[in-house]
Amino acid sequence: MEAITIIKSLVAYNADFDQRIWQSIEGLSDEQFCADYPYSHGSLRNHLVHVASVERGWLTGLQTGQRPPHLDPAEYTTISSVREVFNDIRGQVTSYVEQLNDAQLAEVLPGINLARWQVLLQITNHATDHRAQILRILHDYGQKTFDQDIVQHFWGR
């Protein structure tokens, strides 16, 4: 099996389980979504903007060697506005990975000092960590949560 197949699978897992998060968020108001929470990045909004911002930073680094400024959660006041930017960046990551091959995955990029595959693994691992935090917040709001084991993705559940 080629390494790119594994990376594509991880990116697809991320996209799949992110959409499950958004389904759980649908029962919340914008006020609940933006309300402070006493852990990590605070509100659900802040967590999701943070994930999108970090992924945008890594992706831009992979593409240009530059790092854009972080997104400001205060600029996103509704669930729909965060979902739009989040899904846009997730789509960019997926599109980027789709055009890579194994040789490109192995390239160590100047300024980052990591191989592309390592950065892409960081992106997926970081998102998984924050999904766990988000799931806890959703649970506290009484929303539906789920196991995020990767085998659930592989089994199509």
Side-chain angles (χ1 to χ4, degrees):
M1 175 183 297
E2 296 179 334
I4 190 63
T5 302
I6 296 168
I7 296 296
K8 285 180 180 178
S9 181
L10 287 169
V11 169
Y13 158 74
N14 245 9
D16 179 20
F17 278 68
D18 286 341
Q19 292 313 305
R20 293 180 192 198
I21 288 288
W22 287 111
Q23 290 168 2
S24 293
I25 288 171
E26 287 173 359
L28 298 176
S29 67
D30 289 331
E31 291 75 26
Q32 289 172 306
F33 181 70
C34 295
D36 191 35
Y37 189 86
Y39 181 70
S40 187
H41 289 275
S43 69
L44 289 165
R45 173 199 60 191
N46 291 3
H47 276 84
L48 289 156
V49 171
H50 167 74
V51 171
S53 184
V54 168
E55 291 189 17
R56 182 180 77 143
W58 282 115
L59 181 62
T60 303
L62 289 171
Q63 294 171 322
T64 69
Q66 303 297 312
R67 293 293 290 241
H70 285 285
L71 298 173
D72 180 0
E75 294 181 14
Y76 304 91
T77 59
T78 65
I79 293 169
S80 63
S81 65
V82 175
R83 190 173 190 169
E84 182 179 338
V85 72
F86 187 96
N87 285 340
D88 179 58
I89 293 166
R90 174 66 72 236
Q92 290 176 40
V93 170
T94 300
S95 295
Y96 176 78
V97 169
E98 286 300 319
Q99 53 87 33
L100 295 176
N101 60 44
D102 274 358
Q104 291 168 313
L105 283 178
E107 291 174 354
V108 176
L109 302 163
I112 296 177
N113 297 323
L114 296 169
R116 273 193 181 89
W117 72 266
Q118 291 172 313
V119 172
L120 293 166
L121 191 59
Q122 166 60 25
I123 287 171
T124 58
N125 188 60
H126 180 256
T128 301
D129 175 41
H130 282 285
R131 268 195 309 274
Q133 295 172 18
I134 290 164
L135 285 166
R136 172 54 197 255
I137 299 169
L138 287 167
H139 169 79
D140 288 351
Y141 278 126
Q143 296 303 110
K144 181 181 175 189
T145 61
F146 51 87
D147 292 332
Q148 62 170 340
D149 292 335
I150 197 167
V151 296
Q152 299 294 325
H153 170 73
F154 294 150
W155 290 333
R157 295 183 185 158

